[in-house]
Amino acid sequence: MSDSFQDALAGLAAIVGDKHVIAPGSDQESYVVDWRGRYQGRAAAVVKPGSTAEVAAVVKFCGARQLAIVPQGGNTGMCGAATPDDRPGNVVIRLDRMRAVRDVSPLADTITVEAGCILADVQNAARAADRYFPLSLGAEGSCQIGGNISTNAGGTAVLRYGPTRDLVLGLEVVLADGRVFNGLRALRKDNTGYALKQLFIGAEGTLGIVTAAVLKLFAPPRSSALALLKLQGVEQALEIMQRLRGTVGDRLGSLEIMSRSQIEAIAETVPHVTIPFELTTPWYLIVEVTDTLAGVDLDEALATVLGEAMEAGLAEDVILASNLAQAKAIWAVRHSVSEGNKRSGYVVSHDSVVPLERQAVFVTNVEARIKAAVPHANVVMHGHIGDGNIHVIALIDRARCQDPAATAALVTEINEIVDDETAAQGGAISAEHGIGITNRGRLARVTDPNDIELMRDIKRLFDPNGLMNPGKIFGAGAA
Amino acid sequence: MSDSFQDALAGLAAIVGDKHVIAPGSDQESYVVDWRGRYQGRAAAVVKPGSTAEVAAVVKFCGARQLAIVPQGGNTGMCGAATPDDRPGNVVIRLDRMRAVRDVSPLADTITVEAGCILADVQNAARAADRYFPLSLGAEGSCQIGGNISTNAGGTAVLRYGPTRDLVLGLEVVLADGRVFNGLRALRKDNTGYALKQLFIGAEGTLGIVTAAVLKLFAPPRSSALALLKLQGVEQALEIMQRLRGTVGDRLGSLEIMSRSQIEAIAETVPHVTIPFELTTPWYLIVEVTDTLAGVDLDEALATVLGEAMEAGLAEDVILASNLAQAKAIWAVRHSVSEGNKRSGYVVSHDSVVPLERQAVFVTNVEARIKAAVPHANVVMHGHIGDGNIHVIALIDRARCQDPAATAALVTEINEIVDDETAAQGGAISAEHGIGITNRGRLARVTDPNDIELMRDIKRLFDPNGLMNPGKIFGAGAA
């Protein structure tokens, strides 16, 4: 390590304390590789500031020395947005020590948290006050709320509560020059000028570092009912969705769809999950309805509308969960998709979103085109059909992925099929995972050059020296 | 009129057609004065383009000649944000001809409209498809959706559905250089880079001209119940809100509060409105609960929880509307506040928002300080207590407002009392009305200079020549 990096370590230690700076070596390993092991970077230091003032001081320190800053939450992202690149002068900033729940207000239905707070801890703090924080996703036990905000995370509750953006009332952000944007306000409405906070939500740490947030809480669901439906196709799922809207109205909580191939991949590779129903149709739909009132009989309402759907030939079978254990067993299948896919082969995953009514044709076209181009690919699908967001995943035998160049070419071929079809249906290539490293080339390929130019202008405005999470969203040399 | 303005008229007519350009004179009158008659500006032309391409061409034309552009919706704004200033070279752009409802999708719960569409027409188009567009405010019969988006309008349904920002899925915007930002996508989720569309929502036309939008629709409320409560104070209203949340949950639709003085001002000045209850307490709260299912007995649920609140001493009286006519009569009082105040005197109104639990102390402090400073002021209040947004209004005898300089000084004195108290309670000076001309000095006074600098940076980035609605939000010479 060069002298200048030794000096940097000492300087950073002076700000955050010796034991909160990790020098290059094995202790850094979990911070410079993304969780899927696809991206391996380097860092002069990993630092763990203990306060917003320390974050700002670290950012100023890095700015003065032209060290790149890589904000990292729980390192559970899907696109490598929190992994440093391979330049030696990266400084990874982790907010693990800033994990306080500062305030819960049941009256105002708000919670104020520091950015390093684990998502599950936010959920639990809300629950302890008899309130509900709806953001829920597979990594909730280790992802941090600052990372959720910076990726505008989605998950299984978007249909009813919206993505993370819709849950954020106030934000505190350390900017690239070390100034602090103090928008940490618990206000339900605010029309005092431009919506600056919105820029930082989903910006993947490229415009600043989120250090704290005021989030919305809700009345907790106190009654619920869940059913699993066996379907012939996505169009049937959409028709059932419309019937549900007409009958259970805004009690509709989740609508999660899986292809038969998706469930088979789980059944074959995830030993601790049992599929609690027979696989007899091409598609499976989880319907969950919830009510904020206790004692509402949703089972009967759900059974009625789904029974009618069956009679109308829209569903082949309906399994109503008769108790919490059954409901959990069905959700366990849905929550195992990432694990099952990872165990089944090399994962080429997609996060497209299209207008709701285009989902059936999108899925049909994409599957046919991938199978024609790559006959050995196993195409599995799962997603949030009420959001227009079906993840199309090609699983490739790992034995065929030994050559990196050939694998990269294969991935590009599949990506381009999905992206072209997404664009043809008026969609976007990322619904909820973001851009990071993985999708930056694809973003550039399918996005209106005007939009890219506007985004680069914003990036230059907030980060003129290009030190804030460089190489993410735009690719290298963006700023 | 100078030759250059004559040339401009001819050039604009060449773009939009002769009959869609209005030259200076009496035909322009309704476009160069705000509806309250407070701001009187000038314009070289008022133009009515018929398409996005024509809007872009007009903007380019103005840019090449350094003519200032003033986008104007229905001219119903509260802060003069759509009124030209008194320079002769303003061009007012009206989108009255762009009022098509392009698409309604009941499956996707979306509606695609042109920006000149009247809000009531958006509501009606949704209703015709058995869907619901929740934005609702006093001016809905004449305001345009482009203006609602540009002010991020609030209204009486924010508690349940959020402000306009939360209702916008996609936007098309003509930028200051004539480029078109094409974000007109009907996507429920989209994480492909920075959230550019968010910048234009609430920007009051200072960053571009909204020309079309994709908006969210909802299941229509099919059951409802309404009650009027007589209360001793705001703290009782907040406690009742909390009880309602625990019992009717997310069925809570509206929570509108009025002071006795507010209702008296209406009773004394608006002959066509009858107050359908006796005034016996200092505060009055309208509670409306709705359900998307038909045939739900909400009256009983509401009667129970409000009866308990009365027993607990939180309410002096509860009047449950027993039919639609009674409910309408109660809403008619709420909808007459602007008219009643305008008829009662010179209106010094405020749009503060504070954290929910600070509303009681905010209201008490503000009223006491205004009455101490201006003993002859009649302080009336109404607002959205579930949003933290109580409008504090000082009504001044018009006989005392003959001298403009003295009136301006009086307004400033009252504004500063309200703004200081708003800031002391962690609030913001505009919840829903925006900044425009009226509040730009106040914004500068109470806002963190860092925030103002960031906003000015964004303004310069999108409008380097300062031609897009100049003098709004920041005051003159902002760009």
Side-chain angles (χ1 to χ4, degrees), chain B residues 249-277:
Chain B
D250 54 13
R251 285 170 187 78
L252 198 49
S254 288
L255 268 183
E256 297 289 310
I257 199 163
M258 291 173 282
S259 67
R260 177 178 182 145
S261 54
Q262 173 64 78
I263 300 176
E264 284 169 343
I266 295 165
E268 287 160 18
T269 63
V270 186
H272 62 85
V273 170
T274 308
I275 312 300
F277 44 85

Side-chain angles (χ1 to χ4, degrees), chain B residues 4 49 81 87 221 225 303 317 361-362 430 475:
Chain B
S4 73
R87 77 182 81 183
D317 197 7
V361 64
F362 169 74
S430 174

Side-chain angles (χ1 to χ4, degrees), chain B residues 93-324:
Chain B
I93 300 187
R94 296 267 314 191
L95 301 192
D96 308 56
R97 295 169 62 210
M98 295 177 62
R99 56 172 181 245
V101 174
R102 289 193 195 156
D103 179 64
V104 181
S105 170
L107 174 65
D109 256 344
T110 58
I111 185 168
T112 307
V113 296
E114 293 178 350
C117 203
I118 303 286
L119 173 54
D121 292 340
V122 182
Q123 296 168 343
N124 289 335
R127 198 173 294 123
D130 196 28
R131 309 311 296 159
Y132 179 61
F133 184 65
L135 182 65
S136 176
L137 41 86
E140 62 195 29
S142 54
C143 64
Q144 295 176 1
I145 193 70
N148 299 142
I149 293 168
S150 296
T151 49
N152 185 27
T156 53
V158 174
L159 180 62
R160 181 151 179 178
Y161 300 96
T164 301
R165 181 181 304 284
D166 293 4
L167 307 175
V168 176
L169 290 173
L171 274 192
E172 179 187 81
V173 183
V174 172
L175 304 177
D177 59 7
R179 280 184 298 169
V180 177
F181 168 66
N182 186 4
L184 198 61
R185 294 192 286 196
L187 303 179
R188 292 266 154 188
K189 303 198 287 200
D190 185 355
N191 273 356
T192 50
Y194 303 147
L196 296 171
K197 81 170 182 209
Q198 299 287 349
L199 279 176
F200 302 108
I201 302 170
E204 304 183 5
T206 62
L207 302 179
I209 303 176
V210 172
T211 47
V214 183
L215 306 168
K216 287 185 199 168
L217 298 180
F218 296 84
R222 295 185 204 276
S223 302
S224 70
L226 183 137
L228 180 105
L229 281 71
K230 301 186 182 182
L231 308 176
Q232 291 298 338
V234 166
E235 50 276 56
Q236 284 81 358
L238 291 168
E239 241 185 276
I240 288 167
M241 178 181 79
Q242 209 163 0
R243 281 168 178 250
L244 284 162
R245 284 193 170 144
T247 49
V248 300
D250 54 13
R251 285 170 187 78
L252 198 49
S254 288
L255 268 183
E256 297 289 310
I257 199 163
M258 291 173 282
S259 67
R260 177 178 182 145
S261 54
Q262 173 64 78
I263 300 176
E264 284 169 343
I266 295 165
E268 287 160 18
T269 63
V270 186
H272 62 85
V273 170
T274 308
I275 312 300
F277 44 85
E278 268 188 272
L279 299 182
T280 53
T281 57
W283 291 93
Y284 298 81
L285 181 70
I286 299 173
V287 177
E288 189 171 58
V289 297
T290 64
D291 198 297
T292 52
L293 299 190
V296 176
D297 184 1
L298 294 169
D299 282 330
E300 188 168 327
L302 195 58
T304 304
V305 57
L306 295 182
E308 286 166 9
M310 247 184 91
E311 274 172 41
L314 294 171
E316 304 304 313
D317 197 7
V318 174
I319 299 166
L320 207 66
S322 58
N323 55 48
L324 207 64

Side-chain angles (χ1 to χ4, degrees), chain A residues 374-429:
Chain A
V374 188
H376 60 79
N378 179 21
V379 179
V380 306
M381 297 188 252
H382 67 267
H384 321 286
I385 198 161
D387 310 333
N389 174 205
I390 298 184
H391 300 291
V392 175
I393 293 147
L395 300 175
I396 312 293
D397 189 340
R398 285 192 200 276
R400 292 177 183 266
C401 301
Q402 299 306 308
D403 176 45
T407 306
L410 181 69
V411 169
T412 299
E413 186 181 4
I414 297 172
N415 285 347
E416 290 188 357
I417 289 172
V418 176
D419 294 349
D420 288 346
E421 195 61 35
T422 302
Q425 302 300 337
I429 64 162

